[in-house]
Amino acid sequence: MNKKVLGVLACTAVAASMVASASAEDLITVGYAQVGHESDWRTANTKNYEDVFSAENGYELSLIDCDNDNAAQLEAVRNFITQGLDYIIIAPIQSAGWDTVLQEAQDAGIPVIIADREIEADASMYDAWVGTNTKNEGITAGNWLAEQLDGAEAKILQIEGSVGASAAIGRTDGFAEVMADHSEWEMLDSQSGDFTQDGGQSVMESFIKSYEGQFNVVICQNDNEAYGAMDAMDAAGITYGVDGDVILISYDATHDGLQYTLDGKINCNVECNPIQAETVKGVIEKMEAGEEYEATTLVEDQAFCAPGIESEYATTMTDEILAGRAY
Ligand code: GYE
């Protein structure tokens, strides 16, 4: 068992051995099986859940950081079931392999909300879904690139997110769909950087060894991978961004990612909004009240591009946009 899971179980045991106060008994207990802490996006998402599912708002949140370990996440959900929590929220590390544990939650009568990413399970196996359309994000990246290149050749290197994560699968598939219409584009290589800065840097270092001088587009499936890729290109003397030899595309559009976009280092940054907890809370409130609730809620995204670039698919970055980005 993962140490963090054990830690939380220990705390729960202490709490149970105390005489629960009347107000604590009134709190709605929610377990959130969080992916991990791999990226700035994830940190913002965790903080958002901690802020929204507070005791002040009537909730007791058990948030388990599963450290990108699929087995630990299944274990965390099973612990939530054993503890008999009122609601379970899962941000699935892997999209596959959920049927058994979802059945266990259903048998225990605990509603499950899938958040952030998608899963490969029949919709009857869970109660609601709140997240973003990552395939559309990939399509946006592809459309933006096609518009900018306007028929010119592209030799592309892609740093994917974590293997088996719907956010990586969606972005890869969406971009591939646009690429299928462009015989002048070639995907030289596409490897996982695990949604981390270190991963982005080491994949980019190995790409540079194999393809130096042969590529003009780098796509990173999140901002942290882009930071690592930029470090690797800086070290190799490869220029990127609006004044560079390489077009750099990123996803997430977190504050720092948008700063690099405003500075012209990232050409296009496709947004993915991590602020989802309020929407999930709204679903739970309706469930509590026995009212009808949205089975599926899509959190909307947009895209941003560097100053000097005009696009039908992305908003040109300004100081004001950056100032308004809290995460
Ligand atoms: O893009 C990445 C994070 O699931 C959409 O996970 C999320 C992705 C996000 O680690 O930064």
Side-chain angles (χ1 to χ4, degrees):
M1 191 190 288
N2 166 304
K3 268 193 208 133
K4 286 174 183 120
V5 174
L6 262 180
V8 166
L9 279 180
C11 294
T12 310
V14 172
S17 71
M18 300 188 308
V19 181
S21 71
S23 63
E25 271 171 13
D26 292 341
L27 297 179
I28 298 168
T29 56
V30 172
Y32 183 24
Q34 173 64 295
V35 169
H37 50 274
E38 71 283 1
S39 66
D40 296 354
W41 190 101
R42 190 62 53 198
T43 304
N45 180 258
T46 293
K47 183 176 181 309
N48 179 227
Y49 272 87
E50 286 169 346
D51 289 348
V52 168
F53 287 96
S54 62
E56 213 176 26
N57 287 341
Y59 292 91
E60 186 182 325
L61 177 69
S62 303
L63 188 146
I64 306 292
D65 175 335
C66 298
D67 204 13
N68 219 15
D69 178 339
N70 186 48
Q73 192 171 42
L74 291 171
E75 183 89 46
V77 174
R78 290 207 162 95
N79 284 326
F80 293 153
I81 297 171
T82 309
Q83 291 166 55
L85 299 188
D86 297 324
Y87 295 89
I88 295 175
I89 306 165
I90 305 170
I93 294 170
Q94 301 271 310
S95 57
W98 284 98
D99 282 347
T100 309
V101 76
L102 290 178
Q103 186 62 57
E104 289 165 21
Q106 218 163 59
D107 292 346
I110 304 176
V112 171
I113 299 165
I114 306 297
D116 162 22
R117 297 179 178 172
E118 290 163 276
I119 55 168
E120 289 169 31
D122 193 83
S124 64
M125 297 301 295
Y126 50 91
D127 298 271
W129 179 87
V130 173
T132 55
N133 187 331
T134 54
K135 184 168 181 197
N136 273 351
E137 293 167 10
I139 291 172
T140 300
N143 284 338
W144 178 86
L145 186 64
E147 173 195 51
Q148 299 300 315
L149 289 175
D150 195 23
E153 254 198 2
K155 302 280 184 199
I156 307 167
L157 292 170
Q158 180 168 252
I159 306 182
E160 295 179 29
S162 303
V163 175
S166 73
I169 297 167
R171 289 169 188 165
T172 303
D173 288 354
F175 184 81
E177 202 172 285
V178 178
M179 190 165 140
D181 292 332
H182 292 274
S183 54
E184 76 281 16
W185 295 5
E186 187 188 348
M187 182 66 76
L188 295 175
D189 212 337
S190 188
Q191 303 281 341
S192 170
D194 223 5
F195 281 134
T196 65
Q197 179 161 347
D198 283 355
Q201 182 169 346
S202 62
V203 172
M204 195 65 225
E205 283 165 358
S206 86
F207 278 169
I208 291 169
K209 278 195 193 117
S210 310
Y211 306 102
E212 185 149 20
Q214 297 171 47
F215 61 92
N216 63 342
V217 177
V218 171
I219 303 172
C220 298
Q221 286 185 350
N222 79 350
D223 282 335
N224 293 83
E225 290 182 340
Y227 309 152
M230 287 190 271
D231 286 345
M233 287 191 278
D234 286 340
I238 296 166
T239 60
Y240 50 86
V242 283
D243 297 323
D245 291 334
V246 173
I247 294 174
L248 182 58
I249 297 175
S250 183
Y251 294 85
D252 277 1
T254 54
H255 180 277
D256 292 0
L258 285 185
Q259 174 77 64
Y260 282 114
T261 314
L262 182 65
D263 294 345
K265 291 291 182 190
I266 292 173
N267 300 66
C268 178
N269 205 329
V270 182
E271 184 185 39
C272 183
N273 192 344
I275 307 304
Q276 304 179 358
E278 197 65 51
T279 308
V280 173
K281 178 165 152 281
V283 171
I284 290 179
E285 277 165 1
K286 288 199 169 156
M287 288 176 170
E288 278 290 296
E291 289 169 13
E292 264 188 41
Y293 56 87
E294 294 288 331
T296 299
T297 311
L298 192 62
V299 178
E300 295 291 338
D301 303 316
Q302 53 174 322
F304 301 93
C305 56
I309 302 173
E310 292 299 322
S311 173
E312 184 187 327
Y313 302 100
T315 304
T316 306
M317 270 307 289
T318 61
D319 290 314
E320 291 70 38
I321 295 171
L322 186 65
R325 176 76 14 147
Y327 52 87

